[in-house]
Amino acid sequence: MVIMNTRQRVNLISRLRQNKVSQDKIDKLFTLTEKELDKLYAISNNDLFISEVAKILNANNEKNSFYLESLAKYKNRFSKEDYGKAINIIKSCKQQYNARCAFIALKSELLQEHSLNISGASIISRADKEVNAEYALRILNIPRLIELGLAIPMASLIVGTKNKTTCLNIIRNVLKNVELYEEVKNIIDNITIYLRRTLITVPGHEEEVTDLLNVFNEILDKPLIVAHVKEEKKKIRKK
């Protein structure tokens, strides 16, 4: 086991503060063993970092308490009614990834600017797979899709909705315009390139990746081309 040095401890504390973790929570984290702290430091620049922090802090407290307490720091951004809705959304989240992505949506200035943070977070809270929650969040934070009125119906389709036909009709109506279709297709091509590469390079995730790509195929009413992987990479994998 590698014992954390002073620089690593300072970096970890800085990363925690950047994510608005209060000092009392930081003190609590530093009661962990050196091995546990080392694992936390190893992912401190990873998207999973704050989720892991929340999991540790929630261990002996109310479900999703970390995100509820963090949400309180943004209370002045919400009306009294919306803040109550935001709290209920976080409380309703069954998994850490739901709470993490919903919290990010709730505090997103872009979504708040367009009054979409409550509806967006509500959609994310229902995702039954982490990849769906994360891609719904990505879609919700693309300004052009918000401008076209496509962010909410697309996110709903990614997570799964009873209003599938309505969502598709909204999207198809916008994409009747050839120029807008190409623009949206380019956006989707860019955000799904990792998914398409994963499908042919990372075994074990084929089903969930395929399911999500099929949602984007349906949105565009046209199959996406699987991302090209260089031949030499394929050979390395075979070895």
Side-chain angles (χ1 to χ4, degrees):
M1 179 183 70
V2 178
I3 304 299
M4 292 178 67
N5 59 38
T6 301
R7 179 183 60 79
Q8 290 172 326
R9 285 175 176 268
V10 169
N11 288 343
L12 180 57
I13 291 171
S14 296
R15 180 69 172 140
L16 289 164
R17 286 175 176 165
Q18 287 169 11
N19 282 278
K20 299 187 181 297
V21 179
S22 60
Q23 187 58 51
D24 62 312
K25 296 292 188 297
I26 292 175
D27 293 340
K28 182 177 178 180
L29 288 169
F30 273 84
T31 63
L32 297 172
T33 65
E34 287 288 344
K35 184 176 181 180
E36 290 171 319
L37 282 173
D38 188 57
K39 286 182 178 179
L40 200 56
Y41 176 76
I43 61 168
S44 60
N45 290 315
N46 189 290
D47 289 341
L48 297 176
F49 174 64
I50 200 62
S51 183
E52 187 62 27
V53 168
K55 187 187 299 181
I56 294 168
L57 294 175
N58 284 339
N60 299 312
N61 294 309
E62 178 186 357
K63 179 185 175 184
N64 297 329
S65 60
F66 172 79
Y67 294 110
L68 290 170
E69 291 176 18
S70 298
L71 186 63
K73 299 180 176 69
Y74 299 91
K75 186 175 181 178
N76 62 347
R77 293 188 185 182
F78 300 89
S79 66
K80 184 177 180 180
E81 181 182 1
D82 281 351
Y83 185 64
K85 290 179 181 178
I87 288 175
N88 288 334
I89 288 169
I90 295 297
K91 285 184 175 180
S92 74
C93 291
K94 295 180 180 179
Q95 302 293 337
Q96 284 289 324
Y97 65 78
N98 293 113
R100 170 171 54 85
C101 293
F103 172 68
I104 293 171
L106 287 168
K107 69 185 183 73
S108 166
E109 292 184 2
L110 174 65
L111 291 177
Q112 287 189 330
E113 181 184 340
H114 292 86
S115 301
L116 295 177
N117 53 322
I118 297 295
S119 56
S122 180
I123 290 168
I124 290 168
S125 71
R126 300 195 299 270
D128 60 4
K129 294 178 183 176
E130 186 169 6
V131 68
N132 295 68
E134 291 178 345
Y135 271 83
L137 179 62
R138 291 188 68 177
I139 286 291
L140 287 166
N141 277 286
I142 296 176
R144 184 55 173 154
L145 295 182
I146 292 175
E147 182 184 341
L148 293 173
L150 298 179
I152 290 294
M154 281 188 181
S156 297
L157 290 171
I158 288 170
V159 167
T161 175
K162 295 178 181 178
N163 299 316
K164 179 178 178 179
T165 301
T166 301
C167 290
L168 283 173
N169 286 340
I170 292 171
I171 294 168
R172 300 267 168 81
N173 189 52
V174 173
L175 299 188
K176 284 179 182 176
N177 182 299
V178 177
E179 291 183 1
L180 290 181
Y181 179 91
E182 287 301 320
E183 186 177 355
V184 171
K185 182 179 181 300
N186 287 336
I187 291 172
I188 290 177
D189 279 343
N190 286 333
I191 67 170
T192 61
I193 189 167
Y194 173 76
L195 280 176
R196 290 177 282 133
R197 284 177 175 166
T198 298
L199 189 60
I200 54 179
T201 59
V202 184
H205 297 277
E206 292 88 351
E207 185 177 349
E208 65 179 23
V209 171
T210 299
D211 288 345
L212 183 49
L213 285 174
N214 283 338
V215 175
F216 286 110
N217 290 343
E218 197 163 14
I219 286 170
L220 292 174
D221 200 20
K222 181 180 180 181
L224 289 166
I225 298 173
V226 176
H228 175 69
V229 178
K230 291 181 179 178
E231 187 64 30
E232 58 266 26
K233 289 188 177 180
K234 289 184 181 179
K235 290 178 180 178
I236 291 173
R237 185 183 161 195
K238 288 179 181 178
K239 290 180 182 179

